[in-house]
Structure formats: structure tokens, C-alpha cells
Amino acid sequence: MDSTTLLPPVKEAIEQFPHHFHEDAASYASPLGAAWAPGRVNLIGEHTDYNGGYVLPLAVDRVSAFAGRTRNDQTVRLWSTHFNAYAQFSLAGLPESFEEQREKIPGWARYVLGVATELIKANITLKGFDAVITGDVPLGGGMSSSAALEVASAQAYALFSNHSFSIGEDNATLTPLETAGLCQKAEQNASGLMSGILDQAASCLGQPRKAILLDCRSLEYRYLPFEDPGVSVVVIDTGVRRELASSAYNERRKQCEEATQRIRTLILENEPDNTEARSIKALRDITPEQFEQYKGQLPQILQQRAGYIIAENERVLQVVKLLEAGKIEEAGKILWLGHAGLRDEYEVSCKELDVLVDIARDVPGVLGARMMGGGFGGCTINLVRNEAVDALSQAVERHYQERTGRQASIDICRAAAGPSYVLFEN
């Protein structure tokens, strides 16, 4: 691959490597190589993944990237351009040494350590390496910077272990979804957040001009066309950063589990012959009709949480039908509804997200907008006619700071491919 065709973060990592790791190339066990993986946006289907439901993400042309060389020992040394910091750990002793090593390295490096731990648990042999890490996925912005880092880590381990294992579809050691599941476990262990598989799956499965319908229970997926030359995906960053583990994310998950159990019990008590009710495991298994019948017997807070998830799963399936019919513009209307549910029922929005959605609603040519990601900050996703992108940018510039005291940044994203790598000759 010609280095001029590489994405900017990949080129940056390659250029930065000799500045941070000064050993002679002959002292390494491989030529210079780079590995990367994309972040994602989620069109619709927020917080449905850990409820066994449906999600509709697409990987985007924003990546986390590694550039480096294989070492002759079991040490991994990393330089993060974002944090301006080194980190080092050893593959020797993993997985037993994970907890001990985890406490000695910065938070960003724990994800890389976590991925190594899960690969070793899967009986994959790894080699140490030195690498620079760069990226242009906004950190904490709801575009899955951590998942991009994890999936890029898995690709980097494959590359720097001299392809002792491989990631991909055809005859690979790990399929994309096996890789996603492994990276999901790494995230949970690194962060303490009991996240679903949405982010890692989107990064692993990305294809240009495609959205991905993923069933988060069966892990079945299929691609849907996501290409309208007249419509742009605009991501607007509130500038508000959140720590999901210290937010109400895990609390929401527990509330959904409680609502599921209560509704299941109510159905079985009132419909003893309903054998299907015995197999209810998550909110995804409860129909809108069943919820309407029994929601009055739930505490108000559980009504809100369950009501949002059940309606959101239906919204995903509505958008799928519209994309299949080539009606991207129509899909925008459903984004407004998704945001209202996240704001009012699931209560994971914040003032800044709501302001951005309100501003977007007043701009002709904005087809739909909603908060994206876990919530409490991050970004909004907007479907916008191309001719309205400048008007939206100007409206945000005019009104967002005066209403919030913050600066917002705007990006146009495109559906992109999943993880990849390049290896150069010495």
C-alpha cells in the first residue's frame, strides 16, 4: 500500500515512531508496520445492545492507529500522541498478572493490556512490540474511541506477532464477531463498565457505504445500503466529556433487568398457559402489546426505562425498512423520536445535547438529529441534506456557545471499512 493513501492518523503514527523509539531497526524482529480500526456512529438503537436488542451502526472514516515494530521479548511499549505519555507492560504472566499490571499503567493503556489478556486466554501466542498510538476518533464523544482502540489493538497484535493469528472473514483465526466479543470483554475489564457489543462489532464489521443491522443476542448481522449522494452524516461534539462507569450507565442496565423480571412474572401470573413467557430473558422479548398491558403495575422509573428500550427496538426495525427502500431522508424523522426517548424516558441526555438537537430542528434541510452514545455528553448525529450543512454549522456557531458557554465542533463522517494493516519493507 502506498503510504500517501493512508488515513492521516496512520501516517502520523508512522512518522512519529522513530521520534519516540530510537533503537536501530536491526534490533527489531520485524519491519515497520501499522494497524488501525475505525470508530462508529450509531444511526439508531441506543442502549438496546445490552438488552439483547437491535442496533444499526456504521463504521466511520475516523480511526485509532498503531505504528511500530515487533520486539525480541515479551514487552509492549507504547507512546500515545494524544496523552503525550509512555506506557509499558509485559505479556509474560498474562492473564494472571492482569490486575497487578493494570494498576501500574495509565487508563488508555489498560485497553491494550486488556486485549492482550483476552487473546492469551484464547490460546493465541503474542509477541512484544513498540508502537506509537494516534487517532482522530473524539475521546469520550460517543463515537467509540475505546472500541476503536481495542479493535486496533487486536489488529496490531496480529500484525506484530508476525501473523501468528489473523482477524477477518475467510479462514481467519478470529471472525469479526469473535474479535468484537473479545474486545468487549477487554473493555469491561479495563473500565469496569458492563458495556454491550455494539461498539466493537461496528468497528470490526465496517464496510464502505453500508450500515450494519446487528442482532445483539444471536449476533446475526446483515448489511444495508447507506448511500445517498444528497445526504451527509454530520456529527456535532458538545465538548462535554463523561465517564460512563461513574455515570448511570450500569444503573440503567440493572433497571432494565429488573423491569424484565417483573414483566415476565406478571405475564406468568396472569397468563399461566403462556409458555413463551417462560423464555423471556431481556426487554427485547417483551412485545409492545405486552408492555402496554402490564406497564401500569411497574414503578414509574421502570416504566420509563423499559418503555424507551421496547420502543427503540421498534424504531431500529422501522429505519431498516426505510434504508432497504432507499429512503434515507425518511429515516431522519425517527432520529427525533429516539432523542426524545433518550431525554425523557431513559434520562441519559444533558443540556448541551438537547441544545444541539433543538438548534438542528430549526434548520431547514436537517432531516433528523439525536444524541449518540452512552449519554451525559459526547456528540449528536444529524442526517442533513448537503445544501443545509453550512446552515447547520452557522446555526451551531451562532447559538450553541451563547446557550451553553461551550464550543462545539462539527465533523462530516462517511461509512467506512473495518480494521486493516500495512507492513513496509525495511
Side-chain angles (χ1 to χ4, degrees), residues 217-243:
R217 170 172 292 163
S218 69
L219 298 186
E220 293 176 354
Y221 64 92
R222 61 188 174 95
Y223 292 101
L224 296 158
F226 190 79
E227 187 175 24
D228 184 326
V231 176
S232 294
V233 176
V234 178
V235 175
I236 309 178
D237 191 337
T238 61
V240 178
R241 291 296 171 262
R242 76 279 182 271
E243 274 296 332

Side-chain angles (χ1 to χ4, degrees), residues 142-214:
M143 292 177 70
S144 302
S145 58
S146 59
L149 176 60
E150 292 145 15
V151 177
S153 297
Q155 186 69 74
Y157 284 117
L159 175 63
F160 298 129
S161 297
N162 297 336
H163 297 287
S164 64
F165 73 104
S166 57
I167 295 169
E169 294 283 4
D170 299 325
N171 303 314
T173 314
L174 295 172
T175 67
L177 281 175
E178 286 171 340
T179 306
L182 179 151
C183 290
Q184 177 195 13
K185 290 177 187 171
E187 168 124 1
Q188 292 174 345
N189 292 332
S191 70
L193 179 70
M194 295 308 293
S195 53
I197 201 170
L198 159 62
D199 299 344
Q200 294 82 6
S203 184
C204 287
L205 292 169
Q207 284 193 5
R209 300 177 298 281
K210 302 288 185 184
I212 308 152
L213 173 63
L214 175 66

Side-chain angles (χ1 to χ4, degrees), residues 114-160:
V115 171
T117 302
E118 295 305 319
L119 287 167
I120 289 169
K121 284 181 184 176
N123 298 315
I124 289 172
T125 301
L126 303 180
K127 295 184 178 180
F129 61 86
D130 291 347
V132 168
I133 303 176
T134 64
D136 58 358
V137 186
L139 271 65
M143 292 177 70
S144 302
S145 58
S146 59
L149 176 60
E150 292 145 15
V151 177
S153 297
Q155 186 69 74
Y157 284 117
L159 175 63
F160 298 129

Side-chain angles (χ1 to χ4, degrees), residues 33-311:
W36 61 92
R40 65 100 183 101
V41 296
N42 192 27
L43 289 176
I44 197 81
E46 217 65 78
H47 290 275
T48 49
D49 55 347
Y50 56 81
N51 284 288
Y54 301 101
V55 292
L56 192 61
L58 46 100
V60 293
D61 51 350
R62 301 288 182 275
V63 300
S64 179
F66 288 67
R69 296 178 182 268
T70 306
R71 294 172 58 89
N72 289 304
D73 58 22
Q74 290 281 283
T75 300
V76 174
R77 296 193 305 170
L78 306 169
W79 169 263
S80 166
T81 61
H82 180 84
F83 292 100
N84 234 18
Y86 281 104
Q88 178 174 322
F89 58 83
S90 176
L91 300 172
L94 291 175
E96 290 79 11
S97 65
F98 171 76
E99 291 295 341
E100 179 186 350
Q101 294 201 75
R102 178 185 182 278
E103 298 310 310
K104 296 178 181 178
I105 57 177
W108 57 268
R110 293 174 182 176
Y111 297 99
V112 188
L113 173 65
V115 171
T117 302
E118 295 305 319
L119 287 167
I120 289 169
K121 284 181 184 176
N123 298 315
I124 289 172
T125 301
L126 303 180
K127 295 184 178 180
F129 61 86
D130 291 347
V132 168
I133 303 176
T134 64
D136 58 358
V137 186
L139 271 65
M143 292 177 70
S144 302
S145 58
S146 59
L149 176 60
E150 292 145 15
V151 177
S153 297
Q155 186 69 74
Y157 284 117
L159 175 63
F160 298 129
S161 297
N162 297 336
H163 297 287
S164 64
F165 73 104
S166 57
I167 295 169
E169 294 283 4
D170 299 325
N171 303 314
T173 314
L174 295 172
T175 67
L177 281 175
E178 286 171 340
T179 306
L182 179 151
C183 290
Q184 177 195 13
K185 290 177 187 171
E187 168 124 1
Q188 292 174 345
N189 292 332
S191 70
L193 179 70
M194 295 308 293
S195 53
I197 201 170
L198 159 62
D199 299 344
Q200 294 82 6
S203 184
C204 287
L205 292 169
Q207 284 193 5
R209 300 177 298 281
K210 302 288 185 184
I212 308 152
L213 173 63
L214 175 66
D215 181 328
C216 293
R217 170 172 292 163
S218 69
L219 298 186
E220 293 176 354
Y221 64 92
R222 61 188 174 95
Y223 292 101
L224 296 158
F226 190 79
E227 187 175 24
D228 184 326
V231 176
S232 294
V233 176
V234 178
V235 175
I236 309 178
D237 191 337
T238 61
V240 178
R241 291 296 171 262
R242 76 279 182 271
E243 274 296 332
L244 284 180
S246 61
S247 74
Y249 185 98
N250 289 340
E251 179 188 44
R252 294 298 184 280
R253 186 167 185 153
K254 289 176 183 175
Q255 289 168 337
C256 290
E257 290 167 357
E258 184 181 351
T260 301
Q261 290 306 312
R262 287 189 180 225
I263 295 172
R264 180 180 184 272
T265 299
L266 286 166
I267 294 171
L268 289 172
E269 285 175 353
N270 289 276
E271 306 170 36
D273 295 330
N274 188 336
T275 54
E276 288 185 2
R278 292 187 175 85
S279 62
I280 290 174
K281 296 177 182 174
L283 288 174
R284 176 254 181 86
D285 301 315
I286 296 163
T287 67
E289 293 76 21
Q290 287 172 325
F291 179 67
E292 282 301 313
Q293 185 174 352
Y294 294 107
K295 69 179 183 181
Q297 298 178 63
L298 296 178
Q300 181 64 32
I301 196 75
L302 297 187
Q303 280 189 47
Q304 292 176 214
R305 305 297 188 250
Y308 164 74
I309 294 295
I310 291 167

